[in-house]
Amino acid sequence: MHRSESIARLSEILQASRRAVVFTGAGISTESGIPDYRSPGGVWSKYRPIDFEAFVTSEDARREYWQRKFDTHETVMQAKPNRGHQAVAQLVREGKVVAVITQNIDGLHQASGVPRERVIELHGNTTYAHCLGCGDEYDLEPIRRSFQAGGTLPVCQACGGLVKTATISFGQAMPQEEMRRATAAARACDFFLAVGSSLKVYPAAGLPVLAKQAGARLVILNREQTDLDDLAELVIYGEIGPTLEAALDR
Ligand code: NAD
Protein backbone atom coordinates (compact mmCIF):
# COMPACT_ATOMS: atom_id res chain seq x y z
CA MET A 1 0.00 0.00 0.00
CA HIS A 2 1.25 3.48 -0.82
CA ARG A 3 2.49 5.57 2.12
CA SER A 4 -0.16 8.28 1.81
CA GLU A 5 -2.90 5.64 1.66
CA SER A 6 -1.59 3.94 4.82
CA ILE A 7 -1.47 7.26 6.63
CA ALA A 8 -5.03 8.07 5.53
CA ARG A 9 -6.21 4.70 6.85
CA LEU A 10 -4.44 5.18 10.17
CA SER A 11 -6.02 8.60 10.46
CA GLU A 12 -9.49 7.18 9.77
CA ILE A 13 -9.06 4.41 12.34
CA LEU A 14 -7.92 7.00 14.90
CA GLN A 15 -10.92 9.17 14.17
CA ALA A 16 -13.33 6.27 14.54
CA SER A 17 -11.76 5.14 17.81
CA ARG A 18 -13.14 6.18 21.23
CA ARG A 19 -10.68 4.54 23.62
CA ALA A 20 -7.36 3.79 21.97
CA VAL A 21 -4.20 2.41 23.52
CA VAL A 22 -0.73 3.17 22.20
CA PHE A 23 1.93 0.56 22.88
CA THR A 24 5.52 1.67 22.33
CA GLY A 25 8.95 0.08 22.07
CA ALA A 26 12.50 1.30 21.73
CA GLY A 27 11.83 2.42 18.13
CA ILE A 28 9.88 5.48 19.25
CA SER A 29 12.97 6.81 21.03
CA THR A 30 15.62 6.29 18.32
CA GLU A 31 14.65 9.67 16.81
CA SER A 32 15.62 11.12 20.22
CA GLY A 33 19.10 9.58 19.87
CA ILE A 34 18.60 6.53 22.13
CA PRO A 35 19.58 3.36 20.24
CA ASP A 36 17.16 0.42 20.23
CA TYR A 37 18.33 -3.10 21.03
CA ARG A 38 17.94 -5.06 17.86
CA SER A 39 18.72 -2.68 14.99
CA PRO A 40 22.27 -2.64 13.55
CA GLY A 41 24.31 -0.45 15.91
CA GLY A 42 21.73 -1.15 18.64
CA VAL A 43 22.73 -2.14 22.17
CA TRP A 44 22.85 -5.86 21.42
CA SER A 45 25.33 -5.53 18.61
CA LYS A 46 27.74 -4.42 21.39
CA TYR A 47 26.67 -6.20 24.59
CA ARG A 48 24.96 -9.35 25.76
CA PRO A 49 22.36 -8.54 28.40
CA ILE A 50 23.19 -9.11 32.08
CA ASP A 51 20.29 -11.10 33.49
CA PHE A 52 18.77 -10.64 36.92
CA GLU A 53 20.26 -13.82 38.36
CA ALA A 54 23.77 -12.66 37.44
CA PHE A 55 23.12 -9.22 38.94
CA VAL A 56 22.04 -10.58 42.32
CA THR A 57 24.65 -13.33 42.57
CA SER A 58 27.83 -11.84 41.11
CA GLU A 59 29.72 -8.74 42.13
CA ASP A 60 31.57 -8.79 38.79
CA ALA A 61 28.23 -8.74 36.97
CA ARG A 62 27.04 -5.81 39.10
CA ARG A 63 30.24 -3.93 38.32
CA GLU A 64 29.77 -4.57 34.61
CA TYR A 65 26.09 -3.55 34.90
CA TRP A 66 26.90 -0.17 36.44
CA GLN A 67 29.79 0.40 34.03
CA ARG A 68 27.42 -0.08 31.07
CA LYS A 69 24.74 2.00 32.73
CA PHE A 70 27.02 4.97 33.13
CA ASP A 71 28.46 4.55 29.61
CA THR A 72 25.00 5.35 28.22
CA HIS A 73 23.56 7.41 31.07
CA GLU A 74 24.23 10.84 29.55
CA THR A 75 22.54 9.89 26.28
CA VAL A 76 19.34 8.95 28.10
CA MET A 77 19.38 11.88 30.53
CA GLN A 78 19.90 14.43 27.76
CA ALA A 79 17.37 12.93 25.34
CA LYS A 80 14.30 15.00 24.56
CA PRO A 81 10.91 13.75 23.37
CA ASN A 82 10.65 13.70 19.56
CA ARG A 83 7.79 14.15 17.09
CA GLY A 84 6.53 10.61 17.76
CA HIS A 85 6.26 11.20 21.51
CA GLN A 86 4.62 14.59 20.86
CA ALA A 87 2.01 13.04 18.57
CA VAL A 88 1.15 10.42 21.19
CA ALA A 89 0.92 13.16 23.85
CA GLN A 90 -1.45 15.12 21.62
CA LEU A 91 -3.72 12.07 21.24
CA VAL A 92 -3.79 11.68 25.02
CA ARG A 93 -4.61 15.38 25.50
CA GLU A 94 -7.47 15.06 23.01
CA GLY A 95 -8.87 12.15 25.03
CA LYS A 96 -8.44 9.78 22.08
CA VAL A 97 -5.78 7.66 23.74
CA VAL A 98 -6.60 6.47 27.25
CA ALA A 99 -3.34 4.71 28.07
CA VAL A 100 0.24 4.54 26.81
CA ILE A 101 1.80 1.16 27.51
CA THR A 102 5.54 1.32 27.03
CA GLN A 103 8.41 -1.11 27.07
CA ASN A 104 10.72 1.87 27.22
CA ILE A 105 12.64 2.82 30.30
CA ASP A 106 13.63 6.36 29.29
CA GLY A 107 10.71 8.36 30.74
CA LEU A 108 10.20 10.27 27.45
CA HIS A 109 6.41 9.81 27.34
CA GLN A 110 6.10 11.59 30.68
CA ALA A 111 8.60 14.23 29.49
CA SER A 112 6.41 14.86 26.43
CA GLY A 113 3.48 15.74 28.70
CA VAL A 114 1.57 12.48 29.05
CA PRO A 115 0.34 12.45 32.67
CA ARG A 116 2.15 9.85 34.77
CA GLU A 117 -1.06 8.00 35.55
CA ARG A 118 -1.66 7.37 31.83
CA VAL A 119 1.78 5.81 31.23
CA ILE A 120 2.23 2.13 32.06
CA GLU A 121 5.93 1.26 32.23
CA LEU A 122 6.20 -2.49 31.73
CA HIS A 123 9.98 -2.63 32.04
CA GLY A 124 10.50 0.06 34.64
CA ASN A 125 12.52 3.25 34.41
CA THR A 126 16.25 3.79 34.06
CA THR A 127 16.33 7.42 35.21
CA TYR A 128 16.49 6.43 38.89
CA ALA A 129 17.50 3.44 41.04
CA HIS A 130 15.85 1.49 43.83
CA CYS A 131 16.62 -1.08 46.48
CA LEU A 132 15.71 -4.64 45.48
CA GLY A 133 14.95 -5.40 49.14
CA CYS A 134 12.87 -2.56 50.56
CA GLY A 135 12.12 -0.50 47.43
CA ASP A 136 13.68 2.77 48.65
CA GLU A 137 14.44 5.02 45.68
CA TYR A 138 17.81 6.62 44.89
CA ASP A 139 19.02 9.35 42.54
CA LEU A 140 21.60 8.12 40.07
CA GLU A 141 23.95 11.06 40.29
CA PRO A 142 25.51 10.23 43.71
CA ILE A 143 25.73 6.57 42.67
CA ARG A 144 27.57 7.59 39.49
CA ARG A 145 30.02 9.80 41.40
CA SER A 146 31.03 7.10 43.91
CA PHE A 147 31.16 4.40 41.24
CA GLN A 148 33.35 6.45 38.94
CA ALA A 149 35.55 7.83 41.73
CA GLY A 150 36.23 4.62 43.65
CA GLY A 151 34.35 1.73 42.01
CA THR A 152 31.81 1.68 44.86
CA LEU A 153 28.76 -0.49 44.19
CA PRO A 154 25.55 0.95 45.64
CA VAL A 155 23.81 -0.70 48.59
CA CYS A 156 20.69 0.48 50.36
CA GLN A 157 21.29 2.87 53.23
CA ALA A 158 18.11 1.67 54.95
CA CYS A 159 18.36 -2.12 54.72
CA GLY A 160 21.71 -2.99 53.11
CA GLY A 161 19.97 -4.53 50.06
CA LEU A 162 21.30 -4.37 46.52
CA VAL A 163 20.49 -1.18 44.61
CA LYS A 164 19.74 -1.45 40.88
CA THR A 165 18.22 0.87 38.27
CA ALA A 166 14.43 0.70 38.51
CA THR A 167 14.23 -1.42 35.36
CA ILE A 168 13.16 -4.99 34.72
CA SER A 169 16.08 -7.16 33.59
CA PHE A 170 15.77 -10.46 31.76
CA GLY A 171 14.84 -13.09 34.32
CA GLN A 172 13.34 -10.53 36.70
CA ALA A 173 9.64 -10.74 37.59
CA MET A 174 7.37 -8.36 35.70
CA PRO A 175 5.83 -5.61 37.85
CA GLN A 176 2.44 -6.98 38.88
CA GLU A 177 0.46 -3.77 39.07
CA GLU A 178 1.70 -2.56 35.68
CA MET A 179 0.93 -5.90 34.06
CA ARG A 180 -2.54 -5.84 35.59
CA ARG A 181 -3.20 -2.32 34.30
CA ALA A 182 -1.75 -3.07 30.85
CA THR A 183 -3.82 -6.22 30.50
CA ALA A 184 -6.98 -4.37 31.52
CA ALA A 185 -6.22 -1.53 29.07
CA ALA A 186 -5.56 -3.97 26.21
CA ARG A 187 -8.84 -5.79 26.92
CA ALA A 188 -10.89 -2.59 27.14
CA CYS A 189 -9.56 -0.62 24.16
CA ASP A 190 -11.23 -0.37 20.77
CA PHE A 191 -7.96 0.35 18.93
CA PHE A 192 -4.45 -0.84 19.77
CA LEU A 193 -1.59 0.94 18.01
CA ALA A 194 1.80 -0.78 18.37
CA VAL A 195 4.68 1.56 17.55
CA GLY A 196 8.43 0.91 17.27
CA SER A 197 8.60 -2.56 18.73
CA SER A 198 9.94 -5.75 17.20
CA LEU A 199 7.18 -7.47 19.25
CA LYS A 200 9.59 -10.21 20.25
CA VAL A 201 9.79 -9.66 24.01
CA TYR A 202 7.11 -11.47 26.05
CA PRO A 203 4.91 -11.01 27.99
CA ALA A 204 4.77 -7.44 26.59
CA ALA A 205 4.28 -8.67 23.02
CA GLY A 206 1.26 -10.69 24.18
CA LEU A 207 -0.70 -7.46 24.70
CA PRO A 208 -1.46 -6.72 21.03
CA VAL A 209 -2.67 -10.31 20.71
CA LEU A 210 -4.89 -9.92 23.76
CA ALA A 211 -6.34 -6.64 22.48
CA LYS A 212 -7.12 -8.18 19.11
CA GLN A 213 -8.75 -11.23 20.72
CA ALA A 214 -10.89 -8.89 22.83
CA GLY A 215 -12.17 -7.18 19.67
CA ALA A 216 -9.87 -4.17 19.21
CA ARG A 217 -8.58 -3.07 15.83
CA LEU A 218 -4.80 -3.55 15.60
CA VAL A 219 -2.33 -1.39 13.67
CA ILE A 220 1.45 -1.80 13.71
CA LEU A 221 3.85 1.01 12.82
CA ASN A 222 7.51 -0.02 12.55
CA ARG A 223 10.28 0.47 10.05
CA GLU A 224 10.68 -3.28 9.56
CA GLN A 225 8.56 -6.41 9.87
CA THR A 226 7.46 -7.57 13.30
CA ASP A 227 6.44 -10.98 14.57
CA LEU A 228 2.74 -10.00 14.69
CA ASP A 229 2.26 -8.33 11.29
CA ASP A 230 -0.12 -11.08 10.16
CA LEU A 231 -2.54 -10.22 12.98
CA ALA A 232 -2.86 -6.52 12.17
CA GLU A 233 -5.48 -4.95 9.92
CA LEU A 234 -2.89 -2.37 8.84
CA VAL A 235 0.92 -2.49 9.00
CA ILE A 236 2.83 0.67 8.18
CA TYR A 237 6.54 0.33 7.43
CA GLY A 238 7.88 3.79 8.07
CA GLU A 239 9.58 6.23 10.42
CA ILE A 240 7.52 6.88 13.52
CA GLY A 241 7.76 10.66 14.00
CA PRO A 242 6.90 11.73 10.45
CA THR A 243 4.21 9.03 10.08
CA LEU A 244 2.32 9.85 13.28
CA GLU A 245 2.62 13.56 12.64
CA ALA A 246 1.19 13.11 9.13
CA ALA A 247 -1.68 10.96 10.45
CA LEU A 248 -2.59 13.65 13.00
CA ASP A 249 -2.36 16.45 10.45
CA ARG A 250 -5.03 14.95 8.22
P1 NAD B 1 13.53 -3.58 19.75
O1 NAD B 1 14.90 -3.00 19.68
O2 NAD B 1 13.40 -5.05 19.81
O3 NAD B 1 12.66 -3.08 18.51
C1 NAD B 1 12.62 -1.77 18.07
C2 NAD B 1 11.97 -1.76 16.69
O4 NAD B 1 11.80 -0.39 16.31
C3 NAD B 1 12.81 -2.43 15.61
O5 NAD B 1 12.01 -3.35 14.90
C4 NAD B 1 13.25 -1.26 14.71
O6 NAD B 1 13.28 -1.60 13.34
C5 NAD B 1 12.17 -0.24 14.96
N1 NAD B 1 12.58 1.16 14.82
C6 NAD B 1 13.67 1.76 15.35
N2 NAD B 1 13.66 3.09 15.10
C7 NAD B 1 12.52 3.33 14.38
C8 NAD B 1 11.96 4.50 13.82
N3 NAD B 1 12.52 5.69 13.95
N4 NAD B 1 10.79 4.37 13.12
C9 NAD B 1 10.20 3.16 12.96
N5 NAD B 1 10.69 2.02 13.49
C10 NAD B 1 11.84 2.10 14.19
O7 NAD B 1 12.82 -2.88 20.98
P2 NAD B 1 11.56 -3.32 21.83
O8 NAD B 1 10.57 -4.03 20.98
O9 NAD B 1 11.19 -2.14 22.62
O10 NAD B 1 12.08 -4.43 22.86
C11 NAD B 1 13.31 -4.49 23.45
C12 NAD B 1 13.48 -4.05 24.89
O11 NAD B 1 14.35 -2.98 24.81
C13 NAD B 1 12.32 -3.49 25.64
O12 NAD B 1 12.09 -4.33 26.67
C14 NAD B 1 12.81 -2.14 26.24
O13 NAD B 1 12.70 -2.21 27.65
C15 NAD B 1 14.24 -2.08 25.91
N6 NAD B 1 14.85 -0.81 25.42
C16 NAD B 1 14.35 0.40 25.76
C17 NAD B 1 14.94 1.56 25.26
C18 NAD B 1 14.38 2.89 25.67
O14 NAD B 1 13.84 3.02 26.76
N7 NAD B 1 14.46 3.90 24.81
C19 NAD B 1 16.03 1.49 24.39
C20 NAD B 1 16.54 0.21 24.06
C21 NAD B 1 15.92 -0.93 24.57
Side-chain angles (χ1 to χ4, degrees), residues 26 30-31 37-38 103 105-106 123 197-198 222-224:
T30 57
E31 291 165 43
Y37 277 2
R38 292 179 175 75
Q103 301 177 86
I105 55 179
D106 54 31
H123 296 157
S197 173
S198 57
N222 205 49
R223 71 158 69 114
E224 60 179 10

Side-chain angles (χ1 to χ4, degrees), residues 63-205:
R63 196 167 297 288
E64 176 70 17
Y65 179 94
W66 285 108
Q67 182 63 52
R68 289 183 191 179
K69 166 66 195 158
F70 293 127
D71 284 350
T72 55
H73 181 56
E74 285 299 302
T75 308
V76 176
M77 294 312 267
Q78 285 171 10
K80 300 273 182 295
N82 64 55
R83 293 189 289 168
H85 296 104
Q86 307 290 4
V88 173
Q90 184 180 328
L91 289 167
V92 173
R93 265 196 308 280
E94 290 170 355
K96 188 62 80 182
V97 166
V98 293
V100 179
I101 304 172
T102 188
Q103 301 177 86
N104 293 347
I105 55 179
D106 54 31
L108 290 179
H109 286 297
Q110 295 91 321
S112 73
V114 179
R116 284 176 73 114
E117 64 276 13
R118 298 236 175 243
V119 182
I120 305 170
E121 290 178 317
L122 293 179
H123 296 157
N125 188 304
T126 192
T127 64
Y128 63 96
H130 67 181
C131 170
L132 294 175
C134 69
D136 269 13
E137 292 183 1
Y138 290 90
D139 285 341
L140 287 170
E141 207 35 43
I143 296 176
R144 186 183 65 78
R145 277 199 299 273
S146 355
F147 181 75
Q148 289 178 341
T152 312
L153 293 171
V155 286
C156 180
Q157 285 152 21
C159 76
L162 294 175
V163 170
K164 177 179 173 292
T165 59
T167 50
I168 306 296
S169 296
F170 281 99
Q172 189 169 1
M174 292 292 284
Q176 281 182 7
E177 177 57 13
E178 281 77 2
M179 272 310 284
R180 190 197 60 72
R181 288 173 59 210
T183 305
R187 283 215 178 95
C189 69
D190 61 358
F191 172 34
F192 192 101
L193 174 61
V195 173
S197 173
S198 57
L199 300 175
K200 284 186 192 321
V201 178
Y202 282 80

